[in-house]
Amino acid sequence: MRHSEAANYFGDTQSYAFNYLYAPEFSPNLSSVTPSPTLNPAIMNMLERRDPHWIILSLGGNEHNVLSILQLYEKFDFILGEEPDLPLAPGAEIYPEAMARETLRDWMDEALNLFLAFRAASQAPMAQVSPPPPLPKAHVLANPRELVPNPLYRKKISPDSLRHKMWRIACGLYRETCRKAGILFIETPKDIIDENGMLAGRYWGADATHANDAFGRRMMEEAFQFLSGATGD
């Protein structure tokens, strides 16, 4: 999002900063997790220096893809409790939803701890944007890159329905952690999701898992609207 676009929400007198948390000066993001998650001192210093009015987070987001995009061994699937009529893959071993959730929770552990660390570090209103829904199998096959480097693996890409369910579980874990931490969770607007529960085509990125700039801009707009309503600005 350009400065001029952000100014429509904040006013021209405000300043804005986008910080890439994978930058060397911020890595690792956490300096400790016990007795409570604590941010890297460089991130703490940045927050203290800027004293932000709002904070919009985009933490993690790709764990559901890493965990579910390939089924290298046996096929698996599960029934999603909040929408049990979603299709099951033929011939798949059916696991409990709790198994999928807790496995995913382990993969998301750092991101979930980051929410708590950011909340402890600042009293500013915060929002976390939802990760994009997964991209359809056809797009993954057309853009395998580093995620599916071995051509033999491309026959083992999971069905879209399973990947949609894993994304739903991931969003549920983000939502639950944000609620406990007092952080707004910005849901993916329904028009961004296609009829199969995947990312709508106009928001596809250039690789197997990422959305494009239009998705990021749309989610920032959603966050601005929610935060301006929550703070009365």
Side-chain angles (χ1 to χ4, degrees), residues 154-170:
R154 294 171 195 172
K155 294 182 179 180
K156 297 181 179 292
I157 295 173
S158 299
D160 288 354
S161 58
L162 171 67
R163 296 174 56 229
H164 169 77
K165 285 182 272 189
M166 291 297 288
W167 171 72
R168 294 271 292 272
I169 288 180

Side-chain angles (χ1 to χ4, degrees), residues 46-142:
M46 180 267 293
L47 290 174
E48 292 172 3
R49 184 175 68 255
R50 294 189 180 278
D51 189 22
H53 186 56
W54 293 346
I55 296 173
I56 299 174
L57 303 171
S58 180
L59 304 178
N62 212 23
E63 301 93 346
H64 65 92
N65 278 310
V66 174
L67 190 59
S68 69
I69 198 165
L70 290 174
Q71 296 185 334
L72 295 179
Y73 305 105
E74 63 182 18
K75 292 183 179 180
F76 71 93
D77 208 334
F78 62 92
I79 297 171
L80 185 68
E82 64 185 30
E83 197 170 347
D85 293 332
L86 288 173
L88 294 169
E93 183 78 17
I94 307 304
Y95 293 153
E97 179 183 356
M99 181 181 295
R101 179 183 296 106
E102 294 312 306
T103 302
L104 187 53
R105 190 192 301 273
D106 287 343
W107 281 74
M108 295 171 61
D109 185 63
E110 181 175 356
L112 299 181
N113 278 319
L114 268 174
F115 290 141
L116 303 178
F118 266 99
R119 181 72 285 170
S122 175
Q123 296 302 308
M126 291 185 194
Q128 159 76 9
V129 295
S130 168
L135 280 71
K137 183 175 180 178
H139 183 81
V140 176
L141 287 168

